[in-house]
Amino acid sequence: MTRQISDRQCAIMLAISIVSLKLLILPALLSRYTVKYSYMSVICGLAIDFVFMIIMLAIMYKFKHLTFSEIIERSFGKVVRYLLNFILAVYFFFKGILIVKETHNYFNETLFENISWWFFVIPMLLLIFFIIIKDLKTISRSVEFFFWLIAAGIVLTILVPIKTVDFSNLLPIFSKGSLGIPESLLYCNFSFGDYFVLLMLMGRVDLKTKSRKKILWYATITNFLVVLFYIIFVAMFGDISVNQGLAISDMPLHSNITSAISRLDWIIIIIWSITLIFQAGALFSMSCACLTESFKFKNKYIPAVAIIVSIFITAYHYYLDLEGILELIISLPFSIITMTIQIMYPIILLIAGAKQNNNRKFKACNAVIKGQIKIQYTQISKPKKKKLALNFSLDANMAKEEL
């Protein structure tokens, strides 16, 4: 498999994935279950994701030249490969749908008083289609180009309101009991599982000796910024955190600094809009790649059109109702399914790695046994050949003497 992207581009795509679903509606959702300690839920969720991320990177290093599909096919066969790719396609599709609805609400609340649904969805679908049909290298380079702008926007969002926050709002930590943390992680797990991006990058990254450290450092710094964002968010809003449906845009609006320097929040709005659009396109591109692997399409255009039509139907069904999608995503059956998928795939890859190890050991033992047999056969057969040659020469000499 030809490697397409650098380790830095891989790290940046992972970092963007970490922040994309965590800084807009998730803070308010987590506050439903935890009120003042949503940052504790985020710390636990990011820690779990980090462990799975390490597992994914270990598998990537083990099979540097193999994609996810190739690893699964070699270990479990084609049927399992097609099934797992189809599940991944649906998983990435729903994540992308959530970001599309978040983007619509974000535009509706921050940029326009009442944006027409058609004026939003048609340009959005065209932009997503354009991103889908591009290859991974093009997408990763585009994200890399905007990365520092996005990082500056997140840091700015954290620093702007820091003088107006009241850190006493962070206490008491377990105001609704410690069970609020596992409950929030269960119902909001769809916003985590960012290590799934690495599934689609397997076999496509130029991994070097220090690549693992670089990727983990990017992830660690991003996780730190996300946790810091939640601490500032809770310190600013306290008990009313649950009412702040668009956290990243609400925080600058409640700061005195933005009023003094004339709508600094517009910079954050523009930067965050770029982030959401790129992440939505990347998720739908991954969904398209999984569909292509699952149904063996010869090109991207057929699955790309199918995804665009599915986005339109889903978006039209829910129309402007973000709450409708959220109620589906945080429902108990949906949460259990997504949590199972997030745990299942790393376990499957670990089993695949173990199976490949056993196969290699078996082949190595088989080679040793064959080598021993070959050596023994050579040692036994060579003297026989010499004896036959000697007998033949003696018989020939005796025949000559008789003549």
Side-chain angles (χ1 to χ4, degrees):
M1 184 73 190
T2 304
R3 295 171 184 151
Q4 298 179 13
I5 67 173
S6 66
D7 52 1
R8 184 172 180 271
Q9 290 169 337
C10 172
I12 288 172
M13 290 188 72
L14 183 61
I16 297 298
S17 178
I18 290 171
V19 300
S20 60
L21 277 172
K22 293 184 178 66
L23 306 188
L24 201 59
I25 60 171
L26 184 63
L29 283 177
L30 290 176
S31 296
R32 291 186 185 183
Y33 307 98
T34 58
V35 185
K36 287 187 176 183
Y37 57 99
S38 58
Y39 58 92
M40 296 291 291
S41 296
V42 169
I43 291 171
C44 294
L46 291 175
I48 294 169
D49 274 8
F50 196 79
V51 172
F52 283 122
M53 198 182 302
I54 293 171
I55 294 172
M56 291 291 189
L57 285 171
I59 297 294
M60 288 177 73
Y61 265 88
K62 189 179 185 65
F63 306 105
K64 287 185 180 180
H65 304 284
L66 298 179
T67 63
F68 170 75
S69 296
E70 290 167 344
I71 294 169
I72 297 302
E73 184 174 341
R74 291 188 181 198
S75 302
F76 304 105
K78 290 184 178 180
V79 176
V80 177
R81 167 190 172 179
Y82 296 151
L83 178 62
L84 292 179
N85 272 303
F86 181 75
I87 294 170
L88 270 182
V90 176
Y91 179 84
F92 286 129
F93 177 81
F94 273 100
K95 275 210 165 190
I97 283 291
L98 181 58
I99 290 183
V100 168
K101 292 302 296 178
E102 281 189 6
T103 308
H104 178 269
N105 271 46
Y106 189 62
F107 284 2
N108 210 36
E109 295 288 334
T110 58
L111 294 176
F112 310 97
E113 289 185 4
N114 189 19
I115 184 174
S116 168
W117 187 80
W118 293 102
F119 286 144
F120 168 79
V121 78
I122 292 175
M124 188 70 174
L125 291 180
L126 290 173
L127 189 56
I128 288 171
F129 181 78
F130 178 78
I131 295 173
I132 288 175
I133 61 175
K134 295 298 177 182
D135 59 12
L136 179 63
K137 195 170 186 178
T138 305
I139 296 171
S140 62
R141 281 180 175 177
S142 302
V143 174
E144 185 180 22
F145 179 78
F146 286 102
F147 174 69
W148 292 111
L149 183 66
I150 294 167
I154 295 170
V155 172
L156 198 62
T157 307
I158 295 169
L159 293 180
V160 163
I162 201 165
K163 289 186 178 180
T164 59
V165 301
D166 182 6
F167 287 102
S168 64
N169 285 331
L170 299 174
L171 301 173
I173 294 178
F174 298 114
S175 56
K176 288 191 71 174
S178 59
L179 290 177
I181 294 175
E183 188 180 9
S184 63
L185 290 177
L186 170 63
Y187 288 104
C188 301
N189 68 75
F190 198 67
S191 295
F192 294 92
D194 306 297
Y195 50 87
F196 266 55
V197 172
L198 296 176
L199 286 175
M200 304 311 300
L201 300 181
M202 286 182 174
R204 298 181 171 95
V205 183
D206 185 12
L207 292 173
K208 300 172 184 175
T209 308
K210 295 184 179 180
S211 296
R212 192 199 314 252
K213 187 181 291 185
K214 182 185 291 187
I215 293 168
L216 290 177
W217 264 114
Y218 270 78
T220 302
I221 294 169
T222 307
N223 288 342
F224 173 76
L225 289 175
V226 170
V227 172
L228 189 58
F229 176 90
Y230 273 78
I231 291 172
I232 299 298
F233 174 78
V234 174
M236 175 174 280
F237 296 109
D239 291 327
I240 61 170
S241 299
V242 70
N243 300 323
Q244 311 305 315
L246 298 172
I248 201 165
S249 61
D250 289 341
M251 285 170 63
L253 291 174
H254 286 75
S255 171
N256 297 328
I257 299 176
T258 52
S259 303
I261 56 179
S262 181
R263 300 311 301 268
L264 182 62
D265 56 305
W266 273 85
I267 300 173
I268 297 168
I269 289 169
I270 293 168
I271 292 172
W272 192 244
S273 300
I274 294 170
T275 308
L276 291 174
I277 291 168
F278 266 116
Q279 185 60 19
L283 287 169
F284 287 123
S285 178
M286 292 174 191
S287 180
C288 178
C290 292
L291 283 178
T292 304
E293 286 284 342
S294 189
F295 294 101
K296 288 297 179 184
F297 291 111
K298 292 182 179 180
N299 56 58
K300 283 187 173 183
Y301 290 96
I302 296 174
V305 170
I307 286 171
I308 293 298
V309 172
S310 300
I311 295 170
F312 179 83
I313 293 170
T314 308
Y316 183 78
H317 174 71
Y318 286 102
Y319 194 52
L320 301 178
D321 185 21
L322 177 62
E323 284 294 324
I325 285 188
L326 289 179
E327 290 304 319
L328 169 66
I329 287 174
I330 65 173
S331 64
L332 184 59
F334 195 92
S335 299
I336 291 173
I337 291 170
T338 54
M339 184 177 66
T340 303
I341 290 171
Q342 289 172 358
I343 296 171
M344 180 178 71
Y345 276 76
I347 292 173
I348 288 172
L349 283 171
L350 285 174
I351 295 170
K355 286 189 73 173
Q356 291 296 322
N357 278 342
N358 291 335
N359 288 341
R360 285 175 184 174
K361 286 177 182 177
F362 173 78
K363 288 174 183 177
C365 292
N366 201 24
V368 170
I369 291 168
K370 286 181 179 178
Q372 290 174 350
I373 292 170
K374 189 175 180 181
I375 291 167
Q376 289 174 3
Y377 175 77
T378 305
Q379 289 173 349
I380 293 168
S381 59
K382 278 184 178 179
K384 283 187 177 180
K385 286 179 181 179
K386 289 179 180 178
K387 188 175 181 181
L388 287 170
L390 181 61
N391 289 337
F392 178 78
S393 61
L394 287 171
D395 291 339
N397 292 330
M398 286 173 67
K400 284 179 182 180
E401 287 175 2
E402 288 176 0
L403 289 172

